[in-house]
Amino acid sequence: GAVVSQHPSWVICKSGTSVKIECRSLDFQATTMFWYRQFPKQSLMLMATSNEGSKATYEQGVEKDKFLINHASLTLSTLTVTSAHPEDSSFYICSARDQGSWVGYTFGSGTRLTVV
Amino acid sequence: RKEVEQDPGPFNVPEGATVAFNCTYSNSASQSFFWYRQDCRKEPKLLMSVYSSGNEDGRFTAQLNRASQYISLLIRDSKLSDSATYLCVVNAVGRDDKIIFGKGTRLHILP
């Protein structure tokens, strides 16, 4: 079945630094991937849609210059949190859908970011 | 009205009982519906898609009522391992391949 790999699983960084999170579709190609953020006891909130070979589409209220998305290949999308602040601490999850099968949306295992 | 609404719970249910969740959606043009399960501090995992005619997978039954714009999930003979948050998911009409999550319903199965 469709597998999405996300790395790292968790990361602790200092305020002001940047963190890159990778999302890979392992056994299928994904022209579109999605990035979500989830705060404790809250729902998943879509941040942006990553499009292979073109610019990402950001949801309202999400700063594109702060959350840089690159989707350079059909199997890899990256999210870079730039100049991280403690309020960016959250659970970041990517997802993709294998268009060739009806398995819904597959999620990466998530990245727990803590900014200190 | 929110795009996808769920009762947040928590539902505290004794083991072996039957529990039902409902979810309402606002856009009558929505076409794809799913139930996902999310364990604490983990990613969501697809539990089942919801088809127009209703569908069953073991102890789980999903129903869709287009007229009233709600979907339901029924869990029979609940197990301790069913404790999780159940997320109702609906496709975002006219927004490419996006999906919208409800806030989830927390379920605690009591021994």
Side-chain angles (χ1 to χ4, degrees), chain A residues 32-37 45-51 55-64 67-71 77-79 92-95, chain B residues 98:
Chain A
T32 304
M33 291 185 178
F34 303 94
W35 287 97
Y36 295 86
R37 179 168 54 183
M45 296 301 296
L46 180 65
M47 299 176 64
T49 302
S50 173
N51 304 299
K55 292 182 179 180
T57 306
Y58 290 81
E59 296 299 303
Q60 191 172 10
V62 178
E63 300 175 58
K64 61 180 181 180
F67 298 99
L68 300 179
I69 290 174
N70 186 284
H71 194 152
S77 175
T78 61
L79 168 68
Y92 293 84
I93 311 176
C94 68
S95 83
Chain B
K98 297 177 186 176

Side-chain angles (χ1 to χ4, degrees), chain B residues 34-99:
Chain B
F34 309 91
W35 283 103
Y36 276 75
R37 168 192 170 132
Q38 186 176 26
D39 292 289
C40 187
R41 304 172 77 86
K42 298 286 187 181
E43 76 278 17
K45 293 187 177 179
L46 179 66
L47 181 63
M48 58 198 304
S49 302
V50 185
Y51 302 123
S52 297
S53 56
N55 47 301
E56 185 175 308
D57 183 1
R59 298 183 292 110
F60 300 86
T61 301
Q63 295 280 350
L64 168 64
N65 185 320
R66 286 191 183 275
S68 301
Q69 292 177 215
Y70 80 81
I71 65 176
S72 64
L73 176 67
L74 185 76
I75 305 175
R76 291 181 299 277
D77 187 23
S78 54
K79 313 290 184 188
L80 293 176
S81 57
D82 293 333
S83 297
T85 296
Y86 290 83
L87 303 169
C88 173
V89 179
V90 178
N91 74 298
V93 178
R95 290 163 59 183
D96 301 320
D97 223 8
K98 297 177 186 176
I99 53 175

Side-chain angles (χ1 to χ4, degrees), chain A residues 4 14 16 19 23 31 33 35 38 43-44 48 50-51 54 75 82 90 103 109:
Chain A
V4 173
K14 293 183 178 180
V19 174
C23 181
T31 56
M33 291 185 178
W35 287 97
Q38 186 178 36
S43 180
L44 280 82
S50 173
N51 304 299
S54 64
T75 59
T82 63
S90 186
V103 292
S109 55

Side-chain angles (χ1 to χ4, degrees), chain A:
Chain A
V3 177
V4 173
S5 174
Q6 184 174 344
H7 294 281
S9 298
W10 59 270
V11 58
I12 301 173
C13 70
K14 293 183 178 180
S15 289
T17 61
S18 296
V19 174
K20 179 185 283 188
I21 303 170
E22 290 189 352
C23 181
R24 293 180 186 273
S25 56
L26 295 186
D27 50 1
F28 67 100
Q29 294 181 332
T31 56
T32 304
M33 291 185 178
F34 303 94
W35 287 97
Y36 295 86
R37 179 168 54 183
Q38 186 178 36
F39 292 106
K41 298 185 178 181
Q42 299 292 316
S43 180
L44 280 82
M45 296 301 296
L46 180 65
M47 299 176 64
T49 302
S50 173
N51 304 299
E52 188 268 335
S54 64
K55 292 182 179 180
T57 306
Y58 290 81
E59 296 299 303
Q60 191 172 10
V62 178
E63 300 175 58
K64 61 180 181 180
D65 294 330
K66 181 170 182 62
F67 298 99
L68 300 179
I69 290 174
N70 186 284
H71 194 152
S73 77
L74 288 171
T75 59
L76 174 64
S77 175
T78 61
L79 168 68
T80 301
V81 183
T82 63
S83 187
H85 291 284
E87 56 265 32
D88 297 325
S89 299
S90 186
F91 190 46
Y92 293 84
I93 311 176
C94 68
S95 83
R97 181 174 177 177
D98 181 0
Q99 300 286 353
S101 66
W102 184 246
V103 292
Y105 296 77
T106 303
F107 288 82
S109 55
T111 299
R112 191 158 300 281
L113 170 64
T114 302
V115 184
V116 297

